[in-house]
Amino acid sequence: MSDEVLVTGATGTIGSHVVDALADSAIPFRAGVRDPTEGEWPENCEPIAFDFERPETWGFAFEDVETLFLLRPPSVGRDRIVEAVDAAVRTGVGHVVYLSVLGAERNPLLPHRRIEKHLEASDASHTFLRASYFMQNLSEIHAPEIRERDELFVPAGDGALSFVDARDVGAVAAVTMTEPGHENRAYDLTGPESLDFESVAERFSDVLGRRVAYARPSSFEFVRRTSARGVPLRFAVLMVGIYAPARLGLAGRVTDDVERLLGRPPTSLATFVDDYRDVW
Ligand SMILES: NC(=O)c1ccc[n+]([C@@H]2O[C@H](COP(=O)([O-])OP(=O)(O)OC[C@H]3O[C@@H](n4cnc5c(N)ncnc54)[C@H](OP(=O)(O)O)[C@@H]3O)[C@@H](O)[C@H]2O)c1
């Protein structure tokens, strides 16, 4: 009988927390990773070779899988994901939990929305996790500028964001993969508050006990200074695009989906900063 659970992106920001949440559930599952010889995995997890760019890995990884946690790694094109979805459904995957982006339903050109549409038309059921900006962007991409210059250097203008903790997204994913009733639903995953970067800087200052400031660069200034620091131009421009919804005032919506699914409020930014304080 096919009842396996397979997690893609299992070493990444969200996938690693999906793995943690499933480890707590004690349900056996597979982590699909490019190098299964690397890393440490929970007792109930079997690492298995899986690469979106190597279709020869797909058949074995999807065999006997009922539920798939799917994400699109930033480096992988939409067509590859769509091909993998088709292969998964052909092999017998019955339910796909897909990590999408808050507001995807309003943007038909977004690769995430195109993947959602492909899943909606497939024979498998789906759950869309439309996540807001991850708090972990602050402990990963933006960590050096906070640590070294006490500065948040982000092209977000005065826009507010409803940051969500990746740990909460991982926990929600585990719930939707292991409990019934989430088929063909979309959840909007946000944190508990909508914060502009002045307020984010205040939270950092309060919790860390030193002043962290928001530099509020224009998009042009962001690209200029980021490139001057040796960051590839393509990446700097990508960051401007990523923060465009915030600049336009489209990224601040707060929902209660995390609380309804987890039975507790989502993690606040202050708690996140406290939990990760060693990073900064
Ligand atoms: N950042 C945000 O605020 C935000 C908010 C909402 C949604 N999202 C969406 O979240 C998704 C990214 O999730 P994430 O941040 O958890 O990812 P991530 O931290 O960038 O990790 C990517 C994962 O994908 C794996 N991977 C890379 N290339 C692969 C390939 N060819 N085949 C199989 N696995 C591969 C990586 O494994 P290796 O260890 O092998 O490299 C890693 O586990 C994106 O679709 C993004 O749009 C992001």
Side-chain angles (χ1 to χ4, degrees), residues 8-15 32-35 50-53 71-76 98-102 112 131-134 137 140:
T8 64
T11 58
T13 303
I14 297 297
V33 287
R34 288 190 284 186
D35 184 356
F50 177 80
D51 190 331
F52 283 110
E53 304 290 5
L71 58 70
R72 182 177 83 96
S75 57
V76 176
Y98 173 57
L99 175 65
S100 186
V101 180
L102 191 68
H112 301 80
S132 187
Y133 289 78
F134 306 152
N137 295 337
E140 294 171 4

Side-chain angles (χ1 to χ4, degrees), residues 32-61:
V33 287
R34 288 190 284 186
D35 184 356
T37 63
E38 282 289 313
E40 288 187 14
W41 300 96
E43 240 170 54
N44 56 333
C45 174
E46 180 196 359
I48 188 165
F50 177 80
D51 190 331
F52 283 110
E53 304 290 5
R54 292 174 53 224
E56 65 273 23
T57 63
W58 300 352
F60 190 60

Side-chain angles (χ1 to χ4, degrees), residues 1-272:
M1 190 187 139
S2 72
D3 59 357
E4 285 277 354
V5 171
L6 172 69
V7 178
T8 64
T11 58
T13 303
I14 297 297
S16 59
H17 294 298
V18 178
V19 167
D20 288 348
L22 289 172
D24 291 344
S25 78
I27 289 169
F29 66 101
R30 293 178 193 163
V33 287
R34 288 190 284 186
D35 184 356
T37 63
E38 282 289 313
E40 288 187 14
W41 300 96
E43 240 170 54
N44 56 333
C45 174
E46 180 196 359
I48 188 165
F50 177 80
D51 190 331
F52 283 110
E53 304 290 5
R54 292 174 53 224
E56 65 273 23
T57 63
W58 300 352
F60 190 60
F62 292 143
E63 201 174 85
D64 296 328
V65 170
E66 167 59 21
T67 306
L68 170 68
F69 176 77
L70 175 74
L71 58 70
R72 182 177 83 96
S75 57
V76 176
R78 172 185 54 104
D79 291 348
R80 266 299 189 215
I81 304 292
V82 163
E83 282 171 40
V85 165
D86 290 345
V89 175
R90 272 198 310 274
T91 315
V93 168
H95 183 59
V96 180
V97 173
Y98 173 57
L99 175 65
S100 186
V101 180
L102 191 68
E105 72 282 7
R106 293 193 304 262
N107 189 345
L109 298 179
L110 202 67
H112 301 80
R113 180 59 193 142
R114 293 180 171 193
I115 293 167
E116 286 186 358
K117 285 188 106 126
H118 195 78
L119 285 165
E120 283 167 351
S122 84
D123 288 337
S125 59
H126 61 264
T127 309
F128 299 151
L129 306 181
R130 294 180 179 145
S132 187
Y133 289 78
F134 306 152
M135 291 180 185
Q136 279 72 6
N137 295 337
L138 301 163
S139 57
E140 294 171 4
I141 302 168
H142 300 301
E145 71 217 25
I146 301 171
R147 197 167 44 230
E148 291 157 21
R149 296 193 303 277
D150 288 333
E151 185 181 65
L152 278 160
F153 193 72
V154 184
D158 296 326
L161 300 92
S162 53
F163 292 98
V164 65
D165 192 318
R167 295 173 296 184
D168 291 346
V169 179
V172 165
V175 166
T176 61
M177 283 192 290
T178 57
E179 295 177 7
H182 303 290
E183 293 80 8
N184 303 329
R185 287 174 183 245
Y187 298 116
D188 293 333
L189 306 183
T190 76
E193 53 195 343
S194 181
L195 300 170
D196 61 20
F197 269 91
E198 286 291 351
S199 311
V200 172
E202 269 170 35
R203 299 287 192 286
F204 270 89
S205 304
D206 290 347
V207 176
L208 298 182
R210 65 178 205 264
R211 183 160 185 277
V212 175
Y214 173 38
R216 204 187 174 289
S218 67
S219 300
F220 175 76
E221 186 59 11
F222 177 83
V223 171
R224 196 187 65 76
R225 270 181 56 190
T226 306
S227 312
R229 285 178 190 141
V231 173
L233 179 67
R234 204 169 57 90
F235 186 73
V237 172
L238 180 70
M239 291 283 284
V240 170
I242 285 174
Y243 281 102
R247 286 190 88 87
L248 296 171
L250 300 172
R253 192 158 55 93
V254 171
T255 74
D256 63 359
D257 284 2
V258 169
E259 177 150 15
R260 284 195 297 114
L261 289 156
L262 298 183
R264 61 158 175 82
T267 307
S268 69
L269 187 71
T271 300
F272 164 79

